[in-house]
Amino acid sequence: MKGFITNVAEEMSQSQIWSVLDHLRDELPAHDMPVTLAALLYLRWADFQEAEQEAIAAFDEADYDPVLPAALHWRSWYNLPPHDLPELFADRLSPTLERLNNSRHNSLATHLHRIASAVKDLGRLSPHALEALIHWLAEQPFETPSDRRALLGVLDALLDRVPDKSFGEFRTPAAIVGLLVELAAPAPGDRVYDPCFGTAGLLTAACDHVLRKGKDRFTRNGGPGLMISGVELNPNAFVIGLTRLGLAGVDDPQLELGNSLERTPPNNPQQDGFDVVLANPPWGMRVHPAGLDHFPVRTTDTTGLFIQHALAQLRPEGRAVLVVPEGFLFRGGPERKLRKLLVEQHTVEAVISLPAGVFLPYTGIKASVLLLRRGGPTKNIRMVDAELYFTKGKGNKTATIRPDQAQELARKVRASTPSKNCWD
């Protein structure tokens, strides 16, 4: 019954926000809608966090030094007169967030600093547009984990409705996300990392996986018992991913804005290594060879670099689940040298061939999933033709996999003996 009520509330919220956004199309282009909504959602989420910390400090008769001045908290400005709102975002809130750049000891301050540009862009909207968006958000329940999950569903639905490929390169199809997380099988207490997290689809799915598997292990705010880390290069994708994780119940994600491939080992996000690395790195991109001396195999192809980066981030026996274009499995040159290194120095547990069409409409390139474990050598590799587990609709070239089929495929990959379409 609780789930039904949550779904109804989410559908009502979506219907309301579609109506608001439809009236703002002349002023707010469709490709700007997700980051605009995400920035507002994060400001409200940050205010909720500050209010909780203030209440805890008051109960403990302790002092709490808020990140933002009281006048810049959501609760202080959400009902301002419309004509005051553009000035609030452009001239007061955005400069304050910019000045938080030296607050790395406080993750909330750091994250607020990184959304400063998106908040400044809010100041370019008209008073009417800001009033409509803020009024909608103010009417949405926010107090419980279920309330915030419903708003996550609204944001995700908006991303699905963006009519162009604005965020396509930063999002992995939901069916593939589900499969990758089933293969990784994160557990409570794991440290999970995505070096190119985009809109945080894999990281939020890892949280969902743990919550489904261990409902008695929620944190105080209803979040998973995972340590979440990631790096993202695109500022707009970063804002959306940060907001999605907050709404999913991750209070303190260790997220960085930048290029993970530029990080040498002393500057890695987690010095003790991660238990799980999940990633769908960008395909077909080349980087300048300068500054790549810290990679064992020198290549300018981002696929090979992200594979090496992922392994360097793992603790001994940590596991990585990575999507690669199928060409990586066959090319010569540096890729051949890297495959040799993977087999001789690490454990290649499985190679799963995905059917054509899983990444449509963004690309028709065939892909595979690599399951790697840090430390080797490899003794045998489970090879999998996953086409049997995918389906295509009539007249639809896009291949998809149901959650139950993803779970079955993951079981076959981990089974001690081979089976149909699954051999050593």
Side-chain angles (χ1 to χ4, degrees):
M1 184 66 177
K2 182 180 178 182
F4 173 76
I5 293 173
T6 300
N7 290 338
V8 170
E10 185 177 319
E11 289 174 6
M12 290 178 62
S13 297
Q14 289 183 22
S15 176
Q16 293 163 356
I17 194 61
W18 302 155
S19 177
V20 171
L21 293 173
D22 282 342
H23 284 90
L24 301 179
R25 285 187 182 276
D26 290 341
E27 181 175 351
L28 184 61
H31 61 267
D32 289 339
M33 290 178 180
V35 70
T36 299
L37 183 61
L40 278 175
L41 283 165
Y42 193 77
L43 289 173
R44 186 169 182 190
W45 181 88
D47 179 56
F48 179 81
Q49 294 297 306
E50 292 257 77
E52 277 209 330
Q53 294 302 315
E54 289 168 3
I56 292 170
F59 181 82
D60 293 337
E61 298 183 346
D63 293 328
Y64 175 72
D65 186 20
V67 173
L68 292 176
L72 296 183
H73 288 157
W74 159 274
R75 71 200 99 144
S76 298
W77 56 253
Y78 78 90
N79 58 356
L80 284 175
H83 57 79
D84 290 342
L85 292 172
E87 184 269 340
L88 166 80
F89 289 112
D91 299 333
R92 295 172 57 201
L93 189 50
S94 174
T96 300
L97 301 186
E98 287 284 1
R99 289 193 291 270
L100 296 175
N101 62 327
N102 293 320
S103 305
R104 293 187 65 85
H105 62 284
N106 185 316
S107 61
L108 179 59
T110 300
H111 292 149
L112 283 167
H113 167 69
R114 287 171 177 157
I115 72 165
S117 178
V119 171
K120 186 175 183 178
D121 288 342
L122 288 171
R124 298 192 177 105
L125 297 177
S126 69
H128 163 70
L130 289 170
E131 180 190 31
L133 290 168
I134 292 170
H135 178 74
W136 169 82
L137 182 52
E139 289 190 329
Q140 308 309 309
F142 210 86
E143 297 302 311
T144 70
S146 295
D147 293 337
R148 297 187 289 278
R149 278 274 170 175
L151 288 169
L152 172 59
V154 173
L155 181 56
D156 285 349
L158 178 58
L159 283 166
D160 290 337
R161 284 173 62 127
V162 172
D164 57 22
K165 297 183 180 181
S166 300
F167 290 99
E169 65 180 294
F170 306 111
R171 300 185 75 207
T172 303
I176 300 302
V177 167
L179 174 60
L180 297 179
V181 172
E182 286 292 339
L183 293 166
D190 276 352
R191 294 164 291 184
V192 181
Y193 172 61
D194 184 343
C196 43
F197 68 81
T199 57
L202 287 166
L203 294 177
T204 52
C207 299
D208 292 342
H209 178 88
V210 171
L211 293 176
R212 285 196 306 271
K213 298 291 183 180
K215 294 186 178 297
D216 59 334
R217 301 192 184 187
F218 290 177
T219 59
R220 175 183 53 79
N221 69 332
L226 292 176
M227 193 197 83
I228 296 294
S229 299
V231 181
E232 174 53 42
L233 183 60
N234 181 276
N236 285 345
F238 181 96
V239 173
I240 295 171
L242 171 66
T243 302
R244 293 185 71 251
L245 286 166
L247 296 175
V250 184
D251 277 351
D252 188 21
Q254 305 300 303
L255 303 181
E256 297 182 26
L257 180 62
N259 184 352
S260 57
L261 297 181
E262 295 176 351
R263 282 158 168 73
T264 55
N267 298 312
N268 285 340
Q270 170 58 247
Q271 292 300 307
D272 295 330
F274 295 97
D275 301 287
V276 179
V277 174
L278 279 163
N280 179 14
W283 301 351
M285 295 180 62
R286 295 282 173 179
V287 298
H288 195 277
L292 302 180
D293 294 338
H294 56 287
F295 289 99
V297 177
R298 293 287 298 274
T299 175
T300 59
D301 179 64
T302 52
T303 297
L305 295 175
F306 272 108
I307 290 172
Q308 295 178 79
H309 175 76
L311 287 168
Q313 300 303 309
L314 290 171
R315 63 167 179 77
E317 293 301 310
R319 57 202 184 278
V321 180
L322 311 169
V323 181
V324 298
E326 194 172 65
F328 171 78
L329 305 179
F330 307 105
R331 286 195 295 264
E335 282 73 23
R336 177 185 176 91
K337 185 177 180 181
L338 177 55
R339 293 195 303 271
K340 187 171 186 288
L341 178 145
L342 293 178
V343 171
E344 292 180 351
Q345 298 185 24
H346 300 284
T347 302
V348 182
E349 294 189 334
V351 178
I352 302 169
S353 176
L354 301 176
V358 295
F359 290 101
L360 289 174
Y362 306 114
T363 179
I365 298 175
K366 270 183 64 65
S368 296
V369 179
L370 299 183
L371 273 66
L372 309 175
R373 195 172 292 272
R374 182 173 179 180
T378 299
K379 296 180 180 178
N380 61 281
I381 303 174
R382 179 61 51 90
M383 307 295 290
V384 183
D385 180 357
E387 188 156 8
L388 179 69
Y389 297 89
F390 283 76
T391 57
K392 294 182 180 180
K394 291 184 178 179
N396 186 354
K397 295 182 179 180
T398 304
T400 188
I401 184 170
R402 301 193 314 269
D404 61 315
Q405 291 286 73
Q407 293 168 10
E408 176 63 19
L409 176 55
R411 284 193 292 269
K412 294 291 185 182
V413 171
R414 289 192 288 264
S416 58
T417 57
S419 58
K420 185 178 181 181
N421 296 79
C422 198
W423 66 97
D424 292 338

